[in-house]
Amino acid sequence: MSTTRRAALTALASLPLAVALAAPAQAATTRNDRRTLFIAGDSTAAQKYLDAKPETGWGMALPFFLSDRVRVANHAVNGRSSKSFVDEGRLDTILAAIRPGDLLLIQFAHNDEKSADPTRYTEPWSTYQEYLKLYVDGARARGACPVLATSVERRKFDATGNSLPTHGDYPAAMRALAEREGVALLDVQALSLALWRKLGVEDTKTYFNWTATEQDNTHFNPPGAIAVARLVATELLGRKALPARDVRRIGDGKDAVDELDPAWQSRLTWLTGTTPA
């Protein structure tokens, strides 16, 4: 990674955000101070299978930035909204496994926005917040720490090359809920929007799933997934959801991750089989 690009990523990840949030995560007190970070989310975060390669969820790259004391359990699934994830019993599966001191990272909105689909649609200021609160309350009831993350932005630019927001009121609704409930908030939407703007129209194609047969402005390839995972990890540290000892490789040190380095990309793993619909 060039010094300029790394500096830009580091600066973006440390931008001051409007919402100052909650108390530090509850410290893990069992299992030799190890904890699990569960991800509840959609296709932008999900583990991918070989049929989808090179499409990559940012959750696949998150372990690059976390210490061995933090295990990632990625439950994100393609096409799910905050509502459908609950209705399919996926939140129940997480809550049956989560333990005191663990974290539940919640990122939804891409599919909540689909108003033509009643199985997924939620309204930002009512049902979206109501469903998100189920995750928050469920984690807290089990002694775990909920962490809300605004949805990563799509690749969309206007005629002048300015990166445009695409999630309507959903990020604002999540920010408001986080403030009201005292939940740590990772403002991935704001940070990713700024990163795409910094990279520009052409360079962002290197971060999204653009192939010879597909021009996908929502999902990532390996560089994009790694870059977004860096933003997530930096926010986990900045919002005190994780202590400094559990976040690594996010800066300019000799061990820093370069998302454009094939050596790092080769460490990503696509599971054998077909990506769940």
Side-chain angles (χ1 to χ4, degrees):
M1 182 191 298
S2 69
T3 301
T4 301
R5 177 176 279 111
R6 185 174 291 136
L9 287 170
T10 303
L12 288 167
S14 61
L15 284 173
L17 301 175
V19 181
L21 291 152
Q26 174 182 338
T29 57
T30 59
R31 295 168 295 153
N32 299 318
D33 208 25
R34 292 175 62 90
R35 55 171 53 171
T36 300
L37 188 156
F38 291 83
I39 301 174
D42 54 38
S43 58
T44 59
Q47 170 67 53
K48 306 297 179 179
Y49 289 68
L50 286 174
D51 68 310
K53 192 175 181 179
E55 184 179 319
T56 315
W58 61 255
M60 296 166 61
L62 188 58
F64 293 173
F65 300 100
L66 304 179
S67 77
D68 294 338
R69 285 183 292 270
V70 182
R71 184 180 74 92
V72 174
N74 190 354
H75 287 252
V77 181
N78 288 13
R80 271 53 181 187
S81 70
S82 64
K83 177 183 186 299
S84 64
F85 196 93
V86 170
D87 291 347
E88 293 173 4
R90 298 180 185 277
L91 175 59
D92 289 338
T93 297
I94 292 174
L95 296 181
I98 205 165
R99 296 293 181 265
D102 288 342
L103 290 86
L104 175 55
L105 196 164
I106 307 136
Q107 183 212 248
F108 291 103
H110 280 85
N111 300 299
D112 289 75
E113 301 165 5
K114 297 180 177 179
S115 58
D117 184 352
T119 67
R120 293 188 286 183
Y121 176 66
T122 61
E123 194 280 328
W125 298 102
S126 59
T127 47
Y128 179 59
Q129 292 183 323
E130 290 164 10
Y131 274 99
L132 292 178
K133 195 170 182 301
L134 295 177
Y135 297 77
V136 170
D137 292 347
R140 284 177 164 168
R142 288 155 182 82
C145 176
V147 180
L148 291 167
T150 55
S151 282
V152 61
E153 266 299 348
R154 300 179 177 96
R155 178 184 174 275
K156 184 177 182 180
F157 292 87
D158 64 18
T160 64
N162 187 46
S163 181
L164 299 175
T166 67
H167 293 306
D169 281 347
Y170 290 89
M174 179 179 279
R175 293 180 192 114
L177 177 69
E179 185 172 28
R180 184 169 72 239
E181 297 296 323
V183 179
L185 176 80
L186 317 183
D187 207 342
V188 180
Q189 186 262 345
L191 292 172
S192 59
L193 184 67
L195 176 56
W196 308 150
R197 182 177 296 126
K198 191 82 172 182
L199 290 169
V201 175
E202 291 304 315
D203 282 354
T204 46
K205 293 177 183 178
T206 305
Y207 287 69
F208 282 80
N209 191 33
W210 275 53
T211 68
T213 58
E214 188 172 12
Q215 296 179 352
D216 183 346
N217 294 311
T218 297
H219 303 100
F220 309 111
N221 59 13
I226 295 171
V228 173
R230 187 198 311 276
L231 297 180
V232 171
T234 305
E235 283 285 87
L236 285 167
L237 176 62
R239 303 306 163 197
K240 297 183 172 58
L242 284 177
R245 67 174 186 165
D246 285 335
V247 179
R248 59 184 178 176
R249 304 190 183 116
I250 60 174
D252 291 323
K254 63 182 181 180
D255 66 341
V257 176
D258 179 352
E259 71 269 12
L260 299 180
D261 184 347
W264 279 105
Q265 296 175 25
S266 70
R267 296 178 63 174
L268 293 163
T269 302
W270 287 261
L271 297 180
T272 301
T274 302
T275 301

